[in-house]
Amino acid sequence: MQLNVSQQMKMSQQMKLAPRMIQSMEILQLPLMALQERIEQELAENVVLEQSTASETDQTTDAAPTEELPRGEVEERELNAGGEENNASDFERLVEISQEWPEDNYTSGSKPSSNRMDDDSDRQHDVMANAASRPQTLHDYLLEQFHYFDCDPLAREFGEYLIQNLDHNGRLQSSLPEIVQVFGKPIPLEQAEETLQMIQKLDPPGVGARDLKECLLLQITEETPLHDILRTVISGHLDDIIQNRLPLIERKTGYSIDDIKAAIEQMKTLNPFPGRGFEEEHVQSVTPDLSVEKDDSGKYVVRLEDEYLPQLRISRRYTKLLQRNPDQATKDFIRKKIESAKWLIESIEQRYNTLKKVAQAIVDYQTEFLDNGPEHIVPLKMQQIADQVGVHVTTVSRAVDDKYIATPRGVFALKRFFGGGTTTAEGEEVAWDIIRLKLKEIVDNEDKKSPLSDDALVEELKKHGYNLARRTVTKYRQAMNIPSSRQRREY
């Protein structure tokens, strides 16, 4: 056995981001509502940070204008940690806030808002008062019905267990033998099957099914129109229906194409996901971070929607306490909290300026979109905006992430304005969104008795000046959920 000891020198270059730099980038990336939550969290955790009303901000601004951070200095600097020099100079000024700045009046916010509510507690009370109550779940609804069945305790307990094992679609998540095995109590498979059949009789029709086929069959009764044909085609030809192979179903069943089409239309009235009606509807409330309107000269101008962002300031109580020369532990604690609060205020101010500059540059590029609609969007890359604004492309990416802008044509995600494109036969650059709109138009106007194949779609697009490969057309057709030509065919 031989042991060797050696020394090696290795040089490597690494970029490490300070926690404050990371925090600043996180603040930039936060959408409006998330930023509001972050501010509320900081207000709860940092004792020296407090919220001021609009009227107080106006008074303090008038009383001590020299203590405000000048807007011009912030306006010309971006918040970023990338680039050739790691943008260290951009963050030096953020480190400087740990030095002896005036403590009495360090206030956040882009500008005082005359419409800001003086009493935020009233607004929070209104939110709680208008909060929706907890809706009845599918499991609650089924358990309520199941308790009316007259069955022995073991079957009742197993039935409740089965109901709890239904997914949000109302179907069993595992096979019945697997559920019996993990139930915890011995129950004959025959009794388990009988219990499942009881659940399958509950409302809504189709619950308790083990797959799509059983779910649809459970909803067919003797009163259902074309119930015989429906049971036949669903039991043995569901995949053929999905693939639109109606002639094959005709040959195998003996039913006419017209009868099969009528049965399929009737099948569309059945619910493949009976449990989804009990899902709580999570309607995502989009709160625009920005809005854009035309000014008197006809130019689109961006402004931030910061109506509900609290105005922040450093508590005078703690700055005065610091001036009384307390013990070292108290002094260190207060200074640390003040430094953290100033850093947050500065980061919010930087977010305001960076986001506004980036959004204005995007709007300037996409004027045709705002004037004439989505079909006039122009190809735009984040690097173009980064070059125009003078920031790193990662800053643009963070600035537009999960941000929305209210325009005269509706509310759009800022990322909606970015996208590549292709060149037409005439040499004109066209955005992919326009290609997709043209593809949808061609498919909508095709002869459904003889729908266009992907090769034919390529030729049709070429007639409009768009030279695309077949695989590209197929990719966009699938991304737009447009079925294949066989599935689009009408018999």
Side-chain angles (χ1 to χ4, degrees):
M1 180 177 180
Q2 185 177 1
L3 297 176
N4 293 326
V5 179
S6 62
Q7 290 184 339
Q8 291 182 343
M9 292 184 63
K10 182 180 180 181
M11 296 181 64
S12 63
Q13 189 176 20
Q14 294 180 335
M15 183 182 74
K16 294 185 178 180
L17 299 181
R20 287 178 174 175
M21 296 168 65
I22 296 174
Q23 181 198 38
S24 299
M25 291 185 289
E26 289 175 349
I27 293 294
L28 173 63
Q29 194 163 353
L30 290 177
L32 186 61
M33 291 296 99
L35 178 60
Q36 183 177 356
E37 293 177 3
R38 176 66 175 271
I39 291 174
E40 291 173 354
Q41 178 184 352
E42 292 289 339
L43 284 168
E45 295 177 356
N46 192 334
V47 294
V48 307
L49 189 66
E50 66 181 18
Q51 179 177 348
S52 62
T53 63
S55 58
E56 289 174 340
T57 304
D58 291 337
Q59 293 172 2
T60 55
T61 302
D62 294 338
T66 58
E67 295 178 344
E68 290 289 340
L69 190 65
R71 166 74 69 183
E73 293 184 12
V74 179
E75 193 77 14
E76 299 301 323
R77 299 176 179 138
E78 62 150 324
L79 184 62
N80 184 30
E84 297 178 356
E85 300 177 359
N86 296 336
N87 291 323
S89 61
D90 294 334
F91 285 95
E92 282 183 350
R93 64 191 181 80
L94 296 179
V95 177
E96 291 173 0
I97 65 173
S98 62
Q99 300 176 1
E100 296 297 328
W101 283 74
E103 304 285 357
D104 293 335
N105 182 35
Y106 197 98
T107 307
S108 76
S110 57
K111 56 186 179 299
S113 173
S114 59
N115 295 325
R116 188 185 304 276
M117 295 182 180
D118 291 335
D119 191 356
D120 287 338
S121 62
D122 289 345
R123 176 168 56 85
Q124 295 174 356
H125 181 271
D126 292 340
V127 171
M128 291 186 291
N130 290 288
S133 59
R134 177 182 176 271
Q136 186 180 39
T137 66
L138 172 67
H139 296 154
D140 294 338
Y141 185 59
L142 294 177
L143 286 171
E144 184 179 302
Q145 298 175 69
F146 183 68
H147 289 160
Y148 286 100
F149 280 111
D150 185 15
C151 54
D152 62 69
L154 181 60
R156 181 173 302 281
E157 186 176 352
F158 182 70
E160 294 173 351
Y161 186 74
L162 279 177
I163 290 174
Q164 295 298 336
N165 273 274
L166 298 179
D167 62 16
H168 67 284
N169 294 321
R171 300 184 199 166
L172 286 182
Q173 302 181 55
S174 306
S175 67
L176 189 60
E178 289 175 336
I179 296 177
V180 168
Q181 187 174 4
V182 298
F183 173 50
K185 293 184 179 180
I187 181 172
L189 188 59
E190 295 79 8
Q191 188 177 14
E193 184 71 40
E194 292 174 359
T195 306
L196 176 60
Q197 290 176 5
M198 283 190 281
I199 293 174
Q200 291 176 345
K201 295 177 182 178
L202 302 177
D203 184 69
V207 294
R210 284 159 278 202
D211 53 33
L212 174 61
K213 183 185 300 183
E214 186 176 26
C215 178
L216 298 176
L217 290 173
L218 286 171
Q219 299 176 55
I220 300 173
T221 66
E222 294 302 317
E223 289 75 29
T224 304
L226 303 173
H227 56 85
D228 290 333
I229 302 178
L230 269 176
R231 288 194 179 100
T232 300
V233 296
I234 291 175
S235 299
H237 306 280
L238 189 57
D239 187 61
D240 292 329
I241 293 174
I242 295 172
Q243 298 299 324
N244 201 29
R245 295 192 284 254
L246 304 193
L248 180 61
I249 301 175
E250 180 185 32
R251 290 197 302 270
K252 290 184 176 181
T253 63
Y255 295 125
S256 67
I257 290 288
D258 290 339
D259 288 340
I260 296 171
K261 289 170 62 177
I264 291 175
E265 287 301 314
Q266 182 61 39
M267 189 178 71
K268 292 178 181 178
T269 65
L270 307 179
N271 186 358
F273 311 109
R276 289 189 181 178
F278 289 82
E279 285 185 323
E280 184 178 357
E281 295 186 7
H282 296 284
V283 180
Q284 185 177 1
S285 177
V286 175
T287 303
D289 298 77
L290 311 108
S291 63
V292 58
E293 294 179 351
K294 280 187 176 180
D295 61 11
D296 295 337
S297 65
K299 175 182 171 60
Y300 285 106
V301 179
V302 170
R303 69 180 180 88
L304 256 70
E305 296 291 333
D306 58 351
E307 182 71 19
Y308 294 107
L309 283 183
Q311 298 283 325
L312 302 178
R313 69 180 182 187
I314 304 298
S315 171
R316 296 185 182 88
R317 172 187 174 188
Y318 285 95
T319 56
K320 290 179 180 178
L321 178 61
L322 194 61
Q323 294 171 0
R324 297 172 187 167
N325 196 24
D327 60 83
Q328 190 61 41
T330 302
K331 184 183 299 184
D332 292 342
F333 173 80
I334 295 176
R335 286 190 177 275
K336 181 179 179 182
K337 291 297 184 180
I338 290 177
E339 182 180 342
S340 176
K342 288 178 177 177
W343 186 270
L344 175 66
I345 293 170
E346 178 74 4
S347 298
I348 293 172
E349 187 75 6
Q350 273 296 323
R351 175 190 181 275
Y352 172 87
N353 293 308
T354 303
L355 183 55
K356 187 175 181 180
K357 287 190 294 184
V358 168
Q360 186 64 59
I362 294 172
V363 166
D364 291 343
Y365 264 99
Q366 298 293 2
T367 301
E368 288 293 320
F369 177 101
L370 299 174
D371 283 339
N372 304 311
E375 63 273 13
H376 293 274
I377 191 171
V378 299
L380 180 61
K381 297 180 180 179
M382 290 187 183
Q383 187 63 58
Q384 293 174 259
I385 298 298
D387 293 340
Q388 179 173 333
V389 177
V391 298
H392 196 273
V393 67
T394 56
T395 301
V396 176
S397 177
R398 291 187 179 97
V400 303
D401 186 47
D402 205 19
K403 309 292 196 311
Y404 290 82
I405 183 169
T407 76
R409 292 194 169 271
V411 178
F412 297 96
L414 278 179
K415 285 186 175 180
R416 172 70 173 80
F417 296 97
F418 293 97
T422 187
T423 305
T424 66
E426 291 77 19
E428 180 185 358
E429 193 173 7
V430 178
W432 286 120
D433 279 3
I434 298 177
I435 304 291
R436 286 191 283 265
L437 287 172
K438 179 58 66 175
L439 177 60
K440 184 178 185 302
E441 178 186 332
I442 293 173
V443 171
D444 289 343
N445 295 324
E446 70 183 354
D447 180 9
K448 297 304 180 184
K449 299 291 184 181
S450 180
L452 299 171
S453 65
D454 287 352
D455 287 325
L457 289 174
V458 170
E459 295 301 319
E460 286 295 319
L461 287 169
K462 189 177 296 185
K463 293 178 182 178
H464 293 84
Y466 306 130
N467 297 313
L468 302 176
R470 181 185 182 279
R471 64 179 179 274
T472 303
V473 173
T474 302
K475 180 182 72 173
Y476 279 108
R477 176 181 60 76
Q478 293 173 344
M480 296 167 66
N481 293 320
I482 297 176
S484 65
S485 57
R486 183 180 63 188
Q487 293 172 314
R488 299 199 307 272
R489 182 177 179 183
E490 294 180 358
Y491 294 92

